[in-house]
Structure formats: C-alpha cells, structure tokens
Amino acid sequence: MTRPSWEEYFMSIAHRVAMRSTCLRRKVGCIIVLDKRIVSTGYNGAPSGLPHCEEVGCLREDRGVASGERHELCRGLHAEQNAIIQAALHGTAVGGGVLFCTHKPCILCTKMLINAGIRRVYYAEGYSDTLAEEMAREADMELEHLPWEGD
C-alpha cells in the first residue's frame, strides 16, 4: 500500500466526515486544515437540536427545487458553513487555512470561505458555478480539483 499524500489523506477524512450527513440528496463533508492539522470539520445537515431531513423529509425535493438553486429553501446548512461555525463556536481561527471538501463550494459558501480567510480549496466533485469561481479568483483563493477514488 502506497502512503497517501497529505492532500489524499485529508480528502479521505472529508469523505468520512460526509458519512455524518443527514441530507437526503447529497452527502457532503469537509475539513479545515492549518499547518497539516485539522482545526474544524463540517457536514451538511439541520441546525443543532432541530429535526433532520431524514426525519421530516426534504423540502427541496417536495418543491422540485433543482440542485444549485434556491439555497434558502433547505433545512440544512452546508458542510462548509458548519465547519466555519464550529470553528467560531470553539474559538478556533481558520484564517490562512485550507479546506478539503467532498464537493465544490457553492457561491454562498465561497463568499463565507473568502471572508473566513480560507486560501485554498480542494474538492473531489463539483458542478459549474461561474460566479463562485470568479469570486474565488478575485480573492486569490485557489480552487483545485482533487478526484477521489475511495478507499
């Protein structure tokens, strides 16, 4: 067995984090890393203490909302949002950090990552979001596709 690179290692952990997701449509997980140390994790799901979609159903599915549209019509937070919130909740700085995510961040998450000071994002799967890509470029935040082949 070949020893994984740091990037492969951290991406594998992001995929493990995604296993905690309670979203019925897409399981997403991410981690924020500073100096090769994990400082926060996040997965998509409802706010703490509230019923999850797997318990009450998917609002987006019920309303026929397409992927990548109308983000506000969802009970859940995105994995990236939860990772930033968890860091803030516990007083952990993420500025200058690197995000490893199972999926490419949407425009909402991209804006939050920029303001949180994330400098680079590795993602395994994605979809085209030209505004997110443009804003990341303007902010000098690097987006790098890191294909994932699983364990």
Side-chain angles (χ1 to χ4, degrees), residues 51-122:
H52 293 280
C53 298
E54 61 187 15
E55 300 170 88
V56 297
C58 178
L59 180 63
R60 295 173 61 78
E61 197 68 37
D62 293 345
R63 295 189 182 181
V65 178
S67 178
E69 295 178 11
R70 304 288 314 269
H71 298 283
E72 75 280 8
L73 294 176
C74 182
R75 294 186 61 79
L77 291 127
H78 289 186
E80 303 93 323
Q81 295 167 343
N82 270 326
I84 292 168
I85 291 166
Q86 286 302 308
L89 186 63
H90 297 287
T92 303
V94 297
V98 177
L99 183 93
F100 290 83
C101 196
T102 58
H103 293 74
K104 188 176 183 183
C106 70
I107 183 57
L108 296 175
C109 290
T110 297
K111 291 186 284 188
M112 291 180 189
L113 294 168
I114 291 167
N115 273 3
I118 300 298
R119 304 307 311 145
R120 172 174 262 185
V121 173
Y122 290 96

Side-chain angles (χ1 to χ4, degrees), residues 1-13 146 148 150-151:
M1 175 180 214
T2 305
R3 186 176 188 205
S5 68
W6 283 109
E7 291 82 7
E8 293 166 334
Y9 169 71
F10 288 129
M11 186 60 78
S12 71
I13 295 171
L146 183 63
W148 176 249
D151 295 324

